[in-house]
Amino acid sequence: MRYHLPTMLQDNLINWFQQHRVDLPWRAQRDPYHVWISEIMLQQTQVTTVIPYFERFIERFPTVVHLAAAPLDDVLKLWEGLGYYSRARNLHAAAQMIIDKFDGQFPNTVDDLRHLPGVGDYTAGAIANFAFGADAPLVDGNVIRVLTRLFDIDADVTRAAGKRAVWDLAAELVPTGRGPLWNEGLMELGRLVCTPRSPACEACPVQTHCQALARGTQEERPVKPKRKPTPHYDVTAAVITRDDGRILIAQRPTDKMLGGLWEFPGGKREPGESLRDCLVREIEEELSLVIDVGPQITTVKHAYSHFKITLYAFACEVRSGEATPLGVADFAWVTADQFDAYAFPVTDQKIIAALRSGGGQLGMDFNEGLSS
Ligand code: SF4
């Protein structure tokens, strides 16, 4: 599809962006390492959440050389709470690739950048734009929203044809020599003005070019299929305490969700299974231990991007067996004081908080029945 491309559109947007751009730590200097770290952190995460993580990350790993040389555990620990931990693992692997395969020189073309783990079309384009001044098209969620409204595109943007239409349009629109300003302006407009609900059209610098505004279809763009209900799972976690007071924690396999992070072991309840039976089964499968399940410590609810969980944590003791890493990457018996040395997901941090607040009594009464 071809679109009429008014030249004033780019001028209006770039002028507006230059007047309204917000100072952000990664905009201070367009160092490719800083741009890369910020773009990875900003995937699925709000700017205000990213800022303190970015500043701590750059302080701890000021260059790609520092990041490549760091143990993965240190990177995951710094990422703790930011979510989508594959991003941290990919950053670490990509830093090592830059040192080993690119002689420590940050790749500067979209094609080379695409070789880095965790770098897709968008991130490669962002680094090429913002660090190297390339006029490459750039399409993220904000840009999709703005362009589908400006040109009133009614294709489903979750399907290949719809995505292609937006990328093709984005490529046609990039003004020569001003690509970075245009792209960043589009994203800023989507973030601050052309918001998903109730866009501020009256304050929009490109309102005279907006076909959706003219037709009153802003709220219907972009077109996406209706969301299916989010699945929910019950999950159990065992806080297994030894006679000497040490507690068993396990490291998740690196190829699984939350890979490399530490947790109180357990797993998903199967249909018809009680929480107690689920926990006994999971610990035997993952660690070859037979446990006794005691009182419940806490319940944690958490929403991931595609499903929700309710996590039930129980105080447990070993009845028989020696811990063996069958379904986990590693395990450790640690004191409660040592928790801070390990990277835990948010859910397990809440279990730790419950333990520290005294909400969880580790002295077990095994006669106490469990409701489910
Ligand atoms: Fe978005 Fe409204 Fe501006 Fe159109 S006029 S681009 S819908 S904010």
Side-chain angles (χ1 to χ4, degrees), residues 145-147 149-150 189 193-195 199-213 217-219:
R145 188 167 57 256
V146 173
L147 292 185
R149 286 174 175 172
L150 274 173
L189 187 75
V193 179
C194 193
T195 48
C201 299
E202 67 290 346
C204 178
V206 291
Q207 57 179 267
T208 55
H209 306 283
C210 184
Q211 296 177 28
L213 175 64
T217 55
Q218 305 97 301
E219 299 277 357

Side-chain angles (χ1 to χ4, degrees), residues 106-170:
F106 216 98
N108 61 6
T109 65
V110 169
D111 283 348
D112 280 347
L113 288 160
R114 286 286 282 110
H115 286 99
L116 300 178
V119 173
D121 288 340
Y122 167 76
T123 306
I127 299 169
N129 262 263
F130 305 141
F132 300 112
D135 287 332
L138 212 46
V139 175
D140 71 352
N142 284 320
V143 173
I144 289 173
R145 188 167 57 256
V146 173
L147 292 185
T148 54
R149 286 174 175 172
L150 274 173
F151 293 87
D152 199 30
I153 298 172
D154 60 5
D156 180 344
V157 295
T158 66
R159 303 189 76 92
K163 281 185 195 156
R164 195 68 262 156
V166 176
W167 270 99
D168 288 348
L169 175 59

Side-chain angles (χ1 to χ4, degrees), residues 324-335:
T324 309
L326 300 179
V328 300
D330 201 358
F331 69 88
W333 289 98
V334 299
T335 63

